[in-house]
């Protein structure tokens, strides 16, 4: 039962503003601390170290940092070779490149032999620092989720990023770790007990379930506050591991309210929404709405405008919940 | 030498085993397997520091078959060298067999998967970097096809290997001049190939890839102190299909099923060594 793994008490009283921390900063610091604890950890970069913040690891452990230049395929296969020698490699580039430029290298070199390589995808989703559709990543979850042997982790805040980095190093099998660029609200406390493959109930409610992954978590919590004021109690199940999906938690959360909204900063095809629909379709058919990018590429613009245009705000989540609950009346 | 018999005789045995595997499976790649017989022989029965009874020995030399479609002769080599029973070779390409069409981890002696061309040199770089980080003396050998060199990733790796100063890394090109659909020269030329590698910072050696003594000398020279800080490539000039007259220099025999009759003819030639 996932209720015992509740990360945050159900909202009671007005929500305090959450501190903002960029996942990439948390990622860089986590790698530095992990590197101190685990000498097997090595980091590979394809000329984006200052953007992804693996530069912090490079400064701390120059002999365990490999800069391969702008060559993502080479980087990925080199990581495979290092893993066969007993190291725990983290590769680092943008999510768009990690998932597409080196897909075959991931398949043959890492997934098929089931090597413990952590493929990190920075700047995922639409918030890629005004770089537009070439650098945004709306397909990476779908691509890596369809890769046999691959585990896909999409942290929802800086605390979860840090926990996922440490858990990934111990995992011993291929992981895709999806990261983000800009400051986002911190949701979890320092005592948060992250586990790969486990979904967490972040808020209890009886009327509609919102399942989130990545940065849609704080947006969904904001939506839940709004809905509560309207008399709709939203249950929020956060799903940091999109694959393997926590089937039990997903089915239970769907049964609890009978209505499910999924929310992800990714194409509605093949990501969390797809994964949940597949599972519920087999185990417990449930009326759903998928909040996400509607099978389109993005564009370059300020973050808030992108989230609005592509339907990824707290308002969009709340609206999907309203539509679903309205079907009951 | 891991055996009393001559390198040439080992190479002949590998060819015979390969023909049998391909005939049994009615699938596989004869041409690119046969051209690599001497290269694999000299590596596994001479140059490489390995112990078949301890395939996981940490300081063993590493081998990557980047041209993974030559798996049959690679399996024959591992069996002949004692990594597993030659009887296992009869399961090549069968359901649930460890001897998959292309190399797969799990079979003793195999450290990495291959079969999608162009990736093995990068994997070898990772192994060489790992060995250096651990203070291990292990050398790393990567066997590539010449057609395979058309893959861009090979040249990403070539740049990186010299940039990282990986003198423990040796690439061997099975330069049989043919690829799947024709000659390498007519499809996309690699020439001047030695100059290309030199320009990428490599120590370049060229040998007759069917001359075991020359191959052994080149593999030894690749570890010479005067090339410290530079990886070595051995361009081994070979004949595709070598050892079986009707398969030699033939694009048709890149991948084709061996019939009962042709198996007999091939094995007869490989007993007498007629074509070599
Ligand atoms: C990435 C990739 N593309 C295509 C193929 C299909 N393929 C298998 S072997 C081959 C030709 C290889 O030629 P070469 O490297 O010269 O090898 P050899 O002649 O020694 O068999 C091709 C195109 C493949 N295995 N991998």
């Amino acid at each position: 039962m996932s209720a015992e793994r509740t990360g945050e008490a159900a909202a009671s009283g007005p929500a305090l503003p959450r501190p903002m921390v960029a996942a990439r900063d948390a990622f860089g610091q986590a790698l530095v601390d992990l590197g101190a604890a685990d000498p097997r950890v090595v980091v590979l970069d394809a000329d984006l170290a200052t953007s992804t913040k693996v530069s912090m690891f490079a400064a701390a452990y120059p002999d365990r940092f490999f800069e391969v230049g702008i060559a993502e395929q080479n980087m990925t296969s080199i990581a495979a070779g290092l893993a066969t020698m007993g190291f725990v490699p983290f590769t680092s580039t943008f999510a768009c490149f990690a998932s597409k430029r080196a897909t075959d290298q991931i398949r043959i070199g890492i997934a098929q032999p089931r090597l413990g390589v952590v493929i990190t995808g920075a700047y995922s989703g639409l918030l890629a620092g005004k770089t537009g559709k070439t650098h945004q990543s709306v397909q990476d979850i779908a691509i890596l989720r369809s890769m046999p042997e691959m585990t896909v982790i999409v942290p929802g805040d800086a605390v979860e990023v840090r926990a996922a980095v440490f858990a990934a190093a111990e995992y011993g099998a291929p992981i895709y770790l999806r990261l983000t660029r800009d400051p986002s609200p911190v949701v979890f406390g320092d005592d948060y007990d992250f586990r790969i493959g486990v979904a967490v109930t972040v808020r209890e409610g009886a009327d509609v379930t919102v399942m989130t992954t990545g940065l849609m978590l704080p947006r969904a919590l904001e939506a839940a506050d709004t809905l509560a004021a309207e008399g709709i109690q939203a249950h929020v199940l956060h799903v940091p591991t999109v694959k393997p999906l926590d089937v039990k938690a997903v089915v239970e959360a769907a049964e609890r309210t009978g209505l499910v909204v999924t929310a992800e900063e990714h194409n509605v095809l093949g990501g969390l929404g797809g994964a949940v629909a597949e599972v519920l379709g087999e185990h417990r058919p449930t009326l759903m709405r998928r909040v996400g990018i509607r099978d389109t590429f993005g564009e370059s613009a300020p973050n808030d405008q992108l989230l609005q245009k592509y339907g990824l705000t707290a308002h969009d989540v709340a609206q999907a919940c309203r539509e679903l609950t309205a079907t009951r009346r | 030498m891991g055996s009393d018999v001559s390198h040439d005789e080992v190479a002949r045995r590998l060819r015979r085993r390969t023909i049998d595997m391909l005939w049994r499976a009615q699938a596989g790649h004869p041409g690119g397997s046969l051209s690599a017989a001497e290269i694999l022989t000299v590596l596994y029965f001479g140059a490489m520091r390995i112990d078949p009874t301890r395939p996981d020995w940490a300081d063993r030399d590493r081998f990557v078959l980047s041209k993974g479609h030559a798996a049959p002769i690679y399996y024959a080599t591992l069996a002949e060298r004692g990594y597993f029973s030659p009887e296992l070779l009869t399961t090549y390409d069968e359901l649930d067999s460890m001897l998959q069409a292309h190399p797969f981890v799990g079979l003793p002696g195999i450290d990495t998967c291959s079969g999608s061309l162009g990736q093995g040199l990068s994997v070898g770089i990772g192994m060489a970097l790992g060995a250096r980080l651990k203070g291990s003396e292990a050398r790393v050998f990567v066997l590539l096809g010449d057609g395979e060199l058309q893959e861009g990733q090979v040249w990403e790796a070539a740049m990186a290997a010299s940039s990282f100063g990986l003198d423990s890394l040796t690439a061997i090109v099975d330069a049989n001049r043919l690829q799947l659909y024709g000659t390498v020269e007519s499809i996309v030329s690699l020439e001047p190939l030695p100059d290309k590698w030199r320009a990428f910072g490599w120590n370049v050696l060229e040998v007759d890839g069917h001359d075991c003594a020359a191959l052994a000398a080149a593999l030894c020279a690749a570890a010479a102190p005067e090339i410290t800080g530079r990886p070595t490539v051995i361009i081994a000039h070979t004949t595709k299909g070598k050892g079986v007259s009707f398969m030699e220099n033939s694009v048709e025999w890149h991948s084709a099923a061996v019939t009962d009759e042709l198996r007999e003819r091939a094995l007869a030639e490989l007993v007498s060594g007629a074509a070599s």
Side-chain angles (χ1 to χ4, degrees):
Chain A
M1 175 69 195
S2 53
E4 79 206 26
R5 304 191 45 73
T6 298
E8 185 198 57
S12 55
L16 295 169
R18 303 170 196 277
M20 303 285 279
V21 176
R24 61 173 170 167
D25 294 328
F27 172 63
Q29 188 57 49
L31 273 185
V32 169
D33 297 340
L34 175 66
D38 189 343
R40 300 171 307 155
V41 172
V42 295
V43 173
L44 296 95
D45 172 50
D47 199 25
L48 284 168
T50 44
S51 304
T52 62
K53 299 297 180 191
V54 297
S55 52
M56 295 165 72
F57 185 94
Y61 317 104
D63 54 333
R64 282 191 276 150
F65 175 78
F66 301 109
E67 175 53 64
V68 304
I70 310 159
E72 296 75 16
Q73 304 183 6
N74 194 32
M75 171 174 73
T76 303
S77 301
I78 291 176
L82 279 159
T84 70
M85 300 298 284
F87 291 94
V88 178
F90 282 66
T91 63
S92 177
T93 180
F94 290 160
C96 56
F97 305 136
S99 61
K100 291 179 237 13
R101 205 71 193 238
T103 318
D104 196 43
Q105 287 72 15
I106 293 172
R107 180 177 71 101
I108 303 282
I110 295 170
Q112 291 189 356
R114 215 168 181 278
L115 290 175
V117 175
V118 185
I119 298 145
T120 68
Y123 287 37
S124 69
L126 293 185
L127 309 189
K130 296 195 77 182
T131 46
K133 65 181 84 187
T134 53
H135 286 55
Q136 290 159 336
S137 183
V138 303
Q139 301 168 262
D140 51 321
I141 297 176
I143 291 169
L144 277 308
R145 191 169 80 84
S146 69
M147 182 82 68
E149 308 291 359
M150 185 62 65
T151 290
V152 178
I153 303 177
V154 189
D157 77 349
V159 172
E160 205 166 58
V161 166
R162 180 180 178 84
V165 164
F166 277 83
E170 292 301 321
Y171 196 58
I175 287 184
Y176 175 60
L177 180 59
R178 187 186 210 234
L179 300 169
T180 53
R181 177 182 188 270
D182 291 321
S184 64
V186 174
V187 174
F188 294 108
D190 288 336
D191 56 346
Y192 171 49
D193 181 18
F194 169 83
R195 283 187 226 161
I196 293 172
V198 177
V200 289
T201 302
V202 182
R203 179 178 176 125
E204 310 250 359
D207 296 330
V208 56
T209 298
V210 183
M211 298 185 187
T212 64
T213 201
L215 296 193
M216 291 309 291
L217 171 60
R219 297 169 201 157
L221 289 173
E222 194 187 324
D225 284 342
T226 308
L227 291 167
E230 299 168 17
I232 298 173
Q233 301 306 324
H235 186 82
V236 179
L237 180 74
H238 179 53
V239 187
T241 309
V242 178
K243 182 191 170 186
L245 195 67
D246 188 342
V247 172
K248 189 162 168 281
V250 164
V251 172
E252 277 174 9
E255 270 166 0
R256 184 182 186 114
T257 65
L259 298 170
V260 169
V261 171
T262 57
E264 62 199 307
E265 197 177 311
H266 182 272
N267 198 340
V268 289
L269 305 183
L272 176 70
V276 168
E278 288 161 15
V279 160
L280 293 182
E282 286 188 348
H283 295 275
R284 213 248 179 235
T286 305
L287 193 59
M288 285 182 64
R289 289 284 183 278
R290 290 165 302 152
V291 172
I293 298 156
R294 310 304 303 186
D295 199 22
T296 179
F297 293 111
E299 64 190 287
S300 54
N303 286 354
D304 51 344
Q305 294 175 20
L306 286 170
L307 295 181
Q308 260 175 34
K309 175 166 175 181
Y310 292 90
L312 299 167
T313 63
H315 172 79
D316 295 298
V317 176
Q319 192 52 34
C321 291
R322 287 185 199 107
E323 280 170 32
L324 277 189
T325 51
T327 61
R328 285 227 179 88
R329 304 215 175 95
Chain B
M1 281 286 291
S3 156
D4 289 338
V5 293
S6 76
H7 278 156
D8 289 340
E9 179 51 28
V10 173
R12 221 182 334 267
R13 278 193 204 170
L14 299 184
R15 289 192 166 97
R16 281 203 296 272
R17 291 200 189 281
T18 298
I19 293 294
D20 254 343
M21 290 161 73
L22 295 168
W23 161 74
R24 205 178 294 273
Q26 288 296 297
H29 296 80
S33 288
L34 295 177
S35 62
E38 282 78 15
I39 296 167
L40 285 165
T41 299
V42 173
L43 281 170
Y44 275 89
F45 292 81
M48 284 172 65
R49 249 174 19 124
I50 45 174
D51 179 355
T53 65
R54 290 185 298 155
D56 294 330
W57 173 36
D59 287 326
R60 69 193 182 279
D61 286 351
R62 304 303 201 274
F63 174 73
V64 179
L65 183 71
S66 192
K67 45 170 280 186
H69 58 282
I73 198 152
Y74 181 31
Y75 297 149
T77 308
L78 293 173
E80 192 73 29
R81 190 67 177 82
Y83 280 91
F84 50 83
S85 163
E87 280 168 35
L88 215 54
L89 296 176
T90 59
T91 69
Y92 165 69
D93 224 359
E94 282 184 359
L95 194 66
D96 293 332
S97 172
M98 303 272 274
L99 281 66
Q100 289 288 293
H102 294 86
F104 189 71
V105 291
L107 190 66
I110 294 188
D111 291 316
T112 184
C113 299
S114 57
S116 180
L117 293 165
Q119 303 181 18
L121 192 56
S122 307
V123 175
I125 290 175
M127 291 172 166
L129 286 173
R132 184 157 80 184
L133 209 48
K134 294 206 282 193
S136 167
E137 300 273 281
R139 291 177 72 187
V140 180
F141 302 92
V142 181
L143 180 58
L144 304 120
D146 50 0
E148 182 182 6
L149 303 185
Q150 290 158 348
E151 282 285 358
Q153 189 185 348
V154 174
W155 301 98
E156 292 182 3
M159 266 185 278
S162 58
S163 184
F164 286 130
L166 293 177
D167 47 24
S168 64
L169 179 67
T170 301
I172 304 158
V173 179
D174 181 355
N176 58 32
R177 297 182 308 281
L178 296 184
Q179 52 190 104
L180 184 148
Y181 192 52
T183 65
V184 177
E185 188 58 28
S186 68
I187 291 178
V188 168
S189 174
L190 302 170
E191 297 306 331
L193 187 58
D195 288 345
K196 281 202 172 77
W197 285 99
R198 255 179 234 117
F200 278 75
W202 287 60
N203 175 43
V204 182
L205 303 170
E206 285 190 78
V207 296
D208 172 349
H210 300 304
D211 180 340
C212 290
L215 279 166
L219 287 165
C220 197
E226 59 271 21
I227 58 143
T228 297
R230 262 189 310 155
T232 292
V233 59
I234 299 172
I235 300 173
H237 296 287
T238 55
T239 301
K240 199 154 175 170
K242 176 73 174 177
V244 177
S245 57
F246 56 90
M247 291 182 177
E248 287 192 358
N249 269 318
S250 150
V251 170
E252 288 70 45
W253 283 101
H254 171 76
S255 167
V258 181
T259 62
D260 293 358
E261 189 220 322
L262 291 179
R263 167 181 178 250
E264 294 302 325
R265 272 178 59 194
L267 291 180
E269 288 188 14
L270 289 169
V271 168
S272 62
S276 44

